[in-house]
Amino acid sequence: MTESHQASQQMLGYLYQVVYALYLIISCEDNNDQIGIERFDDVSFEKNGTPKELIQLKHHVIPGKLTDSSIDLWRTLKVWMDSRDILENDTKLLLITTASAPEGSVAYLLKANEQIRDYQSAYYKLMEVAKKSKNKAILNACNTFKKLDQSEGLKFVKRIIVLDGATDITDTDSKIKSYLEIAVKPKYEDEVLTDLKGWWFQQCVLGLCSSDLKLISKIEVTSEIRRLVKKYDIDYLPIASDIYSLKYAVKKDSTYVKQLGLLKINDEEILESAASDYVRADTQRSKWIREDPSLVNEFDEYDRNLIDRWHHLFITMKMELAEDPDKIKAGRRLYGKIMNQDFPIRADRRDHFIMCGSYQKLSDNLKIGWHKDYHKLLKGSEYRNEKME
């Protein structure tokens, strides 16, 4: 195994700890449970700062067998034997691994299934390996185990529960989603999972970096899930992650740009802002409709409301021209008023580019305009500067 491949495997192991810990806290039944990462063990369930379950997680891309002399098994035993001083009488020791336990092996005898569980036989098999093994990789663990007297060794092994054949890091996402699907609309499951994992990783990093006790409770996780469910509820329209990085150009032959030309707006910054709003709004709205075609009617209604708002201001502008006949100046005032409105597409989707870009799209289709005579000047003929009044 190359050094880079070994590092990748190690990184996967760390990520597995974090992701599987999220699954464990979501799936636990007691809302008062708290979980810690890399405190007493890979993962630990705690109450009042006392570990109730110490969990070792072993991830393998290609799962093998958890044999009696397995390095994973003996390194885990060594970690737990070194932690005996912090254990309460009822503290459980869980080994969760993607590997499988061969029938009759120590790991097999330590499964939770009471029909096959036999911790006493497991203890004697471990002691036999500890006495006979010449493997340097597990020598320290074997020596520590041999020092336990029989009563202490049996008590120690009795605590151990092996959960073999666990899902790997990619399949664990599906297990987490199975707990989300009751509350989350199917089309938003991936987004909620991504956001939840982002929040969870942040909590874990804060816990690892903090010198103070940092535990994450089931209540905190449930609260975050509820927040995300509300966020992605019926009133939520998610903005694409790359929407602000979209490239755009000012196309001088576009009708919405010609509309601004009627107002003698040639400032590059203003034109670029209009182009940016147009491209982003058009791209985002198209994406929403592709993902949910039922939004077409709602967006059409939004456009009708935009037109209605514009129309009232346009009529007012025409009346004001009786006193001041400067159509370009009036059109600029109208454009400023429209672009400074606060009319979101939904109550909690207030990104200003959506409204502004939607107006640019409407002006591109000549459904609205800024100059009093925009329709006559642009409809059915090529835009010519000499037609501007």
Side-chain angles (χ1 to χ4, degrees):
M1 182 183 293
T2 65
E3 185 174 341
S4 61
H5 183 67
Q6 190 173 19
S8 297
Q9 294 297 307
Q10 189 176 37
M11 178 59 69
L12 269 178
Y14 288 136
L15 292 174
Y16 184 63
Q17 287 180 22
V18 176
V19 175
Y20 207 89
L22 175 58
Y23 163 67
L24 289 173
I25 193 68
I26 285 178
S27 59
C28 74
E29 296 180 357
D30 191 342
N31 281 329
N32 295 315
D33 276 350
Q34 298 173 305
I35 199 166
I37 309 294
E38 291 280 3
R39 271 175 42 78
F40 300 109
D41 215 339
D42 287 348
V43 177
S44 58
F45 274 101
E46 304 174 34
K47 286 185 180 178
N48 301 319
T50 301
K52 296 301 180 183
E53 290 182 4
L54 298 186
I55 303 170
Q56 281 279 314
L57 296 162
K58 303 298 180 185
H59 180 270
H60 298 280
V61 176
I62 303 176
K65 304 290 184 182
L66 193 64
T67 63
D68 294 352
S69 57
S70 166
I71 293 176
D72 276 357
L73 175 62
W74 281 95
R75 282 181 176 172
T76 297
L77 294 176
K78 182 67 166 65
V79 170
W80 286 337
M81 287 186 288
D82 290 345
S83 303
R84 280 175 296 152
D85 291 343
I86 65 170
L87 303 182
E88 297 287 311
N89 291 330
D90 60 346
T91 303
K92 296 177 182 177
L93 306 174
L94 272 67
L95 171 57
I96 300 174
T97 176
T98 54
S100 60
E103 187 172 350
S105 66
V106 168
Y108 183 84
L109 297 172
L110 292 178
K111 287 188 175 187
N113 188 338
E114 293 298 331
Q115 294 182 338
I116 61 175
R117 184 172 175 80
D118 184 353
Y119 77 90
Q120 293 176 325
S121 295
Y123 165 77
Y124 291 116
K125 288 173 74 69
L126 285 170
M127 186 57 75
E128 184 178 358
V129 173
K131 290 178 178 179
K132 294 181 178 180
S133 178
K134 305 298 182 183
N135 187 345
K136 292 182 180 180
I138 64 172
L139 187 60
N140 285 338
C142 289
N143 288 336
T144 302
F145 191 79
K146 285 189 295 185
K147 291 177 182 177
L148 301 177
D149 61 46
Q150 183 170 313
S151 175
E152 189 178 17
L154 285 168
K155 182 179 178 181
F156 170 66
V157 175
K158 187 177 181 179
R159 299 174 182 269
I160 300 172
I161 299 173
V162 175
L163 303 176
D164 68 327
T167 54
D168 65 15
I169 190 167
T170 55
D171 289 334
T172 301
D173 279 0
S174 298
K175 297 185 75 168
I176 295 172
K177 283 170 69 173
S178 69
Y179 282 87
L180 300 176
E181 61 187 15
I182 297 176
V184 182
K185 293 179 177 66
K187 64 181 178 181
Y188 294 137
E189 281 182 5
D190 290 336
E191 285 88 347
V192 171
L193 177 62
T194 298
D195 285 1
L196 179 62
K197 285 170 64 178
W199 172 84
W200 177 256
F201 271 78
Q202 183 181 39
Q203 300 306 305
C204 291
V205 169
L206 290 174
L208 291 170
C209 295
S210 175
S211 58
D212 300 323
L213 176 67
K214 174 62 179 176
L215 296 172
I216 310 169
S217 69
K218 171 70 179 286
I219 294 174
E220 287 180 85
V221 177
T222 301
S223 176
E224 179 63 14
I225 292 173
R226 286 174 179 164
R227 186 188 72 80
L228 291 173
V229 168
K230 183 178 180 181
K231 173 183 175 182
Y232 286 93
D233 204 348
I234 190 167
D235 287 332
Y236 184 74
L237 291 171
I239 292 292
S241 59
D242 62 345
I243 201 70
Y244 287 101
S245 61
L246 288 177
K247 294 184 178 181
Y248 55 88
V250 178
K251 297 181 179 180
K252 298 296 177 71
D253 60 342
S254 297
T255 301
Y256 76 95
V257 176
K258 292 178 181 179
Q259 290 254 31
L260 296 176
L262 291 175
L263 306 180
K264 293 186 178 180
I265 294 177
N266 299 309
D267 185 281
E268 286 299 320
E269 188 175 358
I270 297 174
L271 295 177
E272 286 179 4
S273 177
S276 170
D277 289 339
Y278 179 97
V279 170
R280 288 172 180 167
D282 191 44
T283 302
Q284 183 61 75
R285 287 180 52 156
S286 297
K287 184 175 188 298
W288 283 331
I289 290 172
R290 284 196 306 273
E291 293 174 349
D292 186 356
S294 68
L295 292 171
V296 170
N297 292 336
E298 179 183 342
F299 290 174
D300 285 347
E301 179 64 22
Y302 178 66
D303 286 343
R304 283 192 289 272
N305 283 323
L306 291 179
I307 293 171
D308 186 62
R309 284 167 167 259
W310 162 84
H311 185 256
H312 283 85
L313 291 172
F314 189 73
I315 294 298
T316 301
M317 178 190 74
K318 290 174 72 174
M319 290 189 297
E320 291 173 347
L321 283 170
E323 295 183 7
D324 183 355
D326 191 330
K327 296 178 182 179
I328 292 176
K329 187 187 297 183
R332 287 187 174 193
R333 284 197 299 268
L334 173 62
Y335 183 72
K337 288 177 182 178
I338 289 292
M339 291 300 150
N340 282 294
Q341 289 184 114
D342 182 20
F343 186 56
I345 196 164
R346 279 188 179 172
D348 59 352
R349 187 75 280 158
R350 310 191 71 86
D351 309 75
H352 204 56
F353 76 83
I354 297 172
M355 183 202 74
C356 293
S358 296
Y359 268 122
Q360 298 295 355
K361 180 78 170 180
L362 291 170
S363 75
D364 197 56
N365 294 327
L366 290 180
K367 292 183 177 179
I368 66 167
W370 319 118
H371 190 283
K372 173 183 176 294
D373 302 322
Y374 77 94
H375 207 274
K376 181 176 68 175
L377 295 172
L378 297 176
K379 181 68 174 177
S381 64
E382 207 171 314
Y383 168 61
R384 298 192 303 274
N385 284 327
E386 62 265 25
K387 280 193 173 183
M388 289 191 303
E389 298 181 31

